Amino acid sequence: MKKYSAELISFGLLVCGIGLSLGNVVWFQTGIVRLVWYLVAFIPVGFPVLKEVVERLREREYFNEFMLMSLAAIGAFYIGEYPEGVAVMLFYSIGEKFQDSAVSRARSNIRSLLDVRPERATVIRDGHDVIEKPERISVGEIIEIKVGERVPLDGTMLGDVAAFNTAALTGESVPRNIRTGETVLAGMIVTDRVVRVKVTKSYNQSALARILEMVQNASERKAPAELFIRKFARVYTPVVSGLAVLIVLIPWIVSWVQPDFSFMLNDWLYRALVFLVISCPCALVVSIPLGYFGGIGAASRQGILFKGGNYLDAITKINTVIFDKTGTLTKGVFEVQQVWVRDGFTEEEVIRIIASVESRSNHPIAKAIGQYANSRQVAIRRDMEVFELAGYGLKAFIDGKEVLVGNARLLDKYGISFPSELTKVSETLVACAVNGVYVGHLLLADTVKEDAKEAVAALKRLNIDNIQILSGDKQTIVSKLAGYLGVDEAYGDLLPEGKVAHVETLKSDSERRVAFVGDGINDAPVLALSDVGVAMGGLGSDAAIEIADVVLQTDQPSRLAMAIRIGKETRRIIWQNITLAFGVKLIVLILGAGGLATMWEAVFADVGVALLAILNAIRIQRRVR
């Protein structure tokens, strides 16, 4: 209540003054007493506004809402309507503080949603646990996080696998298992065991710090509707001020031309003051930015970061969506999809041979095969000599037998016969031969994300039918994925410059509004070129995240459709506010100019419209789930 102490004092004096007038209290009927009483009521709420007017005049800004309200209040006192002069400033002041509180709450909600970094961290120094502020911990030091604690800094996992709650970063409540050597991000919560993490980024360079900076800077990037209202207010305010003058001036001129026209200065001046009050554009100026704050906050709660209101607006106009494949629609992790063996061999034997040879390689495919063998509980042999055959695969000797593990070209090179259909396989093939005899193969493929198919379907439900895939992978692989997802156009074998050329071709059509969704550093040029660049924030590269306009923290492509829905809902609410404000103001402006609306109605209409617009703007937070 302390925040509204000035308004409470003015309100108390105003109500008492009106009560004394209605009660015909003798001592209060004296003109000078009433003037002083209402001046005392006016000062707590009017002085800050008048002070703002003086400061704006020094900056040569003559037309603004402060000036409108000051002229209306001073004019009301001039014609003897003291209570209404106080009421103008009182309700305007209440409305302004309510608006400031709403904007401040929207900002703090977004910040509290994301700024979940702990103030203390346990760092291991000289074998001892030391409690330290995260900003004082250096890169390379080891920190310890207990069960239920938040990770204070980005780092790499030490020790065995542990489960983490990643909701603060991704919006997902399902725990995520992180293994030795994998990345742990600030803001995650350890859920099952004490872990140690080697710090890789300083406090201000963590993923969470970067996310916070993105969201806090979002208010600086104004949407077209915000920019329009700002420009409009610069024209609108002097125009209505001029019209208010004309409301007095024209009848005065008419009274000179037609002497029978009765001109009463105070009557027309009162109408002009009503006109000034209701014309104040504060409902528009505040509720529209607040609407975008609400949209950005609602998106953040879903793990979607918009870097500005302009992108929230731009995403609603998207009619073409282009996906990168690896890491965007797929997990970017190879998995064994099929094992084929010839007669006389078992699956376990072929898996053991291939996994044993591949165990000497650091290639992602070799790691995937090793993990698969481990999941099948197949023991891997280490007692062998392995030779790399660049571009073909590996050669090894096991128990005196020559073993070849690699692609189909490797078998061709050594003149080993194998099924001809293997040359047409789109997946990654790892074949095996023992002593010149083909014994079997493994088929590996990049795993499609669980929600990739739903992502495409959700976009189509939003009437976005032009969905494409661009990838550097083989055309056969890309086409197969496109068929599975229901995407009509898919282009493979593309270098980064090929992707850029493709997007440039699409954008040559002025009707196209292109969104590109990618995750790798090689996607950065296309993200920058597209109308809306969308990056995968969980596993995406720093370059992609920095350049993108929207970041999907969950790494889920289906969140793109949600981002578009949030953008459309935000835009719909903002245009509701614009229509509401203009509609109500136009009606009361006409009534006021015609003498059918009083200052009280003008004040309540102005403040009421502003409050309704603000309440409507923050509704987006509850509508998005």
Side-chain angles (χ1 to χ4, degrees):
M1 297 299 290
K2 185 178 180 181
K3 179 180 179 180
Y4 292 94
S5 57
E7 286 74 19
L8 289 172
I9 292 170
S10 291
F11 181 74
L13 291 171
L14 175 63
V15 171
C16 288
I18 293 173
L20 291 170
S21 293
L22 294 175
N24 291 318
V25 176
V26 177
W27 63 268
F28 193 73
Q29 305 307 314
T30 307
I32 188 65
V33 172
R34 292 182 70 248
L35 174 61
V36 171
W37 182 278
Y38 284 112
L39 277 175
V40 173
F42 176 84
I43 289 172
V45 290
F47 180 75
V49 178
L50 294 174
K51 182 180 177 184
E52 189 70 33
V53 169
V54 173
E55 291 178 0
R56 296 295 179 95
L57 288 174
R58 286 175 180 170
E59 297 171 2
R60 298 186 178 182
E61 186 181 334
Y62 305 111
F63 297 101
N64 50 68
E65 65 268 27
F66 303 109
M67 180 66 77
L68 292 181
M69 288 300 172
S70 297
L71 289 174
I74 292 170
F77 269 85
Y78 172 75
I79 63 176
E81 299 290 347
Y82 306 141
E84 297 182 19
V86 174
V88 167
M89 282 301 185
L90 171 61
F91 290 107
Y92 174 71
S93 180
I94 291 173
E96 283 292 295
K97 286 191 176 179
F98 187 85
Q99 292 163 10
D100 291 343
S101 296
V103 172
S104 177
R105 190 176 298 112
R107 286 180 181 272
S108 63
N109 282 348
I110 294 172
R111 182 175 181 87
S112 62
L113 181 70
L114 295 171
D115 196 1
V116 291
R117 295 172 292 188
E119 296 180 357
R120 293 287 185 272
T122 303
V123 59
I124 310 301
R125 289 175 178 165
D126 299 324
H128 299 287
D129 295 355
V130 179
I131 304 300
E132 185 65 273
K133 290 184 177 181
E135 52 265 42
R136 294 181 180 175
I137 297 176
S138 305
V139 172
E141 290 194 283
I142 295 173
I143 55 175
E144 186 175 86
I145 307 99
K146 298 177 176 62
V147 176
E149 290 184 347
R150 289 190 185 273
V151 178
L153 298 159
D154 288 3
T156 54
M157 180 74 173
L158 302 177
D160 297 327
V161 64
F164 290 80
N165 181 329
T166 65
L169 292 167
T170 67
E172 287 295 302
S173 58
V174 178
R176 172 183 166 190
N177 288 329
I178 297 179
R179 295 173 173 78
T180 305
E182 293 183 342
T183 300
V184 179
L185 299 177
M188 293 180 174
I189 301 175
V190 184
T191 61
D192 62 348
R193 56 186 291 269
V194 177
V195 301
R196 289 192 174 186
V197 173
K198 185 176 183 180
V199 177
T200 56
K201 290 184 180 179
S202 63
Y203 182 76
N204 292 326
Q205 297 299 316
S206 69
L208 192 57
R210 186 174 60 200
I211 290 167
L212 277 167
E213 185 179 359
M214 287 178 191
V215 175
Q216 289 172 337
N217 291 340
S219 60
E220 298 174 9
R221 300 182 175 93
K222 305 297 181 185
E226 291 180 88
L227 297 174
F228 165 75
I229 289 300
R230 286 191 168 193
K231 292 177 182 177
F232 175 79
R234 294 192 191 111
V235 177
Y236 168 82
T237 307
V239 166
V240 295
S241 299
L243 290 174
V245 173
L246 291 177
I247 287 173
V248 178
L249 188 60
I250 290 175
W252 180 72
I253 294 173
V254 171
S255 69
W256 278 90
V257 176
Q258 296 181 2
D260 59 331
F261 181 82
S262 177
F263 175 74
M264 299 179 65
L265 176 62
N266 281 5
D267 181 39
W268 289 100
L269 183 57
Y270 185 82
R271 297 184 187 190
L273 296 176
V274 170
F275 194 87
L276 282 178
V277 171
I278 194 58
S279 64
C280 180
C282 54
L284 293 169
V285 172
V286 174
S287 67
I288 291 174
L290 185 59
Y292 283 107
F293 278 134
I296 291 171
S300 298
R301 189 172 286 109
Q302 299 297 325
I304 304 164
L305 297 182
F306 283 93
K307 293 186 180 179
N310 53 335
Y311 304 123
L312 196 66
D313 197 77
I315 204 167
T316 65
K317 301 179 179 68
I318 293 301
N319 54 29
T320 301
V321 173
I322 301 173
F323 287 102
D324 172 50
K325 185 184 80 70
T326 306
T328 303
L329 293 173
T330 66
K331 296 179 179 179
V333 178
F334 283 96
E335 290 185 0
V336 175
Q337 305 289 328
Q338 182 183 349
V339 181
W340 189 93
V341 298
R342 68 176 298 167
D343 294 339
F345 290 86
T346 65
E347 282 193 6
E348 184 175 337
E349 287 175 324
V350 172
I351 293 170
R352 178 180 292 109
I353 293 170
I354 296 176
S356 298
V357 175
E358 291 283 6
S359 67
R360 300 299 182 89
S361 172
N362 290 320
H363 194 279
I365 291 176
K367 292 181 179 179
I369 293 171
Q371 290 173 358
Y372 180 72
N374 186 53
S375 68
R376 293 279 299 262
Q377 297 183 335
V378 175
I380 295 176
R381 295 185 57 170
R382 306 281 183 184
D383 55 337
M384 70 188 78
E385 191 176 8
V386 178
F387 304 91
E388 182 177 356
L389 304 172
Y392 295 96
L394 302 168
K395 181 170 73 171
F397 291 94
I398 302 176
D399 297 332
K401 298 176 182 178
E402 182 186 66
V403 176
L404 299 174
V405 173
N407 52 36
R409 289 184 299 165
L410 175 65
L411 301 184
D412 270 337
K413 179 176 179 172
Y414 281 83
I416 299 170
S417 61
F418 58 91
S420 58
E421 58 267 22
L422 294 187
T423 58
K424 301 175 183 178
V425 171
S426 60
E427 292 89 350
T428 299
L429 172 76
V430 179
C432 178
V434 177
N435 281 341
V437 177
Y438 166 73
V439 298
H441 65 263
L442 303 181
L443 288 182
L444 294 91
D446 192 357
T447 309
V448 180
K449 289 185 177 178
E450 291 82 358
D451 68 323
K453 200 166 188 176
E454 170 56 25
V456 174
L459 290 173
K460 289 182 176 180
R461 288 195 294 270
L462 292 171
N463 297 318
I464 300 175
D465 295 322
N466 192 346
I467 303 172
Q468 303 181 13
I469 300 175
L470 302 184
S471 177
D473 279 352
K474 292 187 293 184
Q475 183 64 55
T476 52
I477 295 176
V478 180
S479 297
K480 184 176 180 180
L481 174 64
Y484 170 74
L485 298 179
V487 175
D488 295 329
E489 297 183 57
Y491 304 90
D493 301 309
L494 291 175
L495 296 173
E497 53 266 32
K499 293 181 181 180
V500 170
H502 185 87
V503 173
E504 285 178 338
T505 302
L506 287 174
K507 290 194 66 179
S508 62
D509 181 355
S510 59
E511 298 299 316
R512 294 277 188 193
R513 293 293 180 270
V514 180
F516 182 85
V517 190
D519 74 311
I521 190 170
N522 61 320
D523 293 326
V526 201
L527 288 167
L529 177 64
S530 56
D531 294 296
V532 178
V534 184
M536 294 291 163
L539 299 175
S541 72
D542 287 351
I545 292 169
E546 291 297 331
I547 291 174
D549 309 314
V550 183
V551 180
L552 307 181
Q553 292 175 264
T554 63
D555 276 340
Q556 294 175 294
S558 60
R559 291 299 168 103
L560 177 61
M562 180 175 285
I564 295 173
R565 289 199 300 272
I566 291 172
K568 288 186 174 182
E569 183 67 18
T570 301
R571 199 164 187 267
R572 189 176 69 83
I573 285 175
I574 284 166
W575 280 104
Q576 283 178 352
N577 283 348
I578 292 173
T579 304
L580 172 70
F582 275 125
V584 173
K585 284 182 180 294
L586 181 61
I587 293 170
V588 182
L589 280 173
I590 294 171
L591 293 175
L596 301 175
T598 67
M599 187 84 77
W600 290 103
E601 290 162 340
V603 169
F604 282 114
D606 178 56
V607 175
V609 169
L611 295 182
L612 284 174
I614 291 168
L615 292 173
N616 193 37
I618 61 178
R619 190 164 54 98
I620 183 68
Q621 297 277 357
R622 297 181 179 88
R623 288 183 66 87
V624 177
R625 290 290 185 269

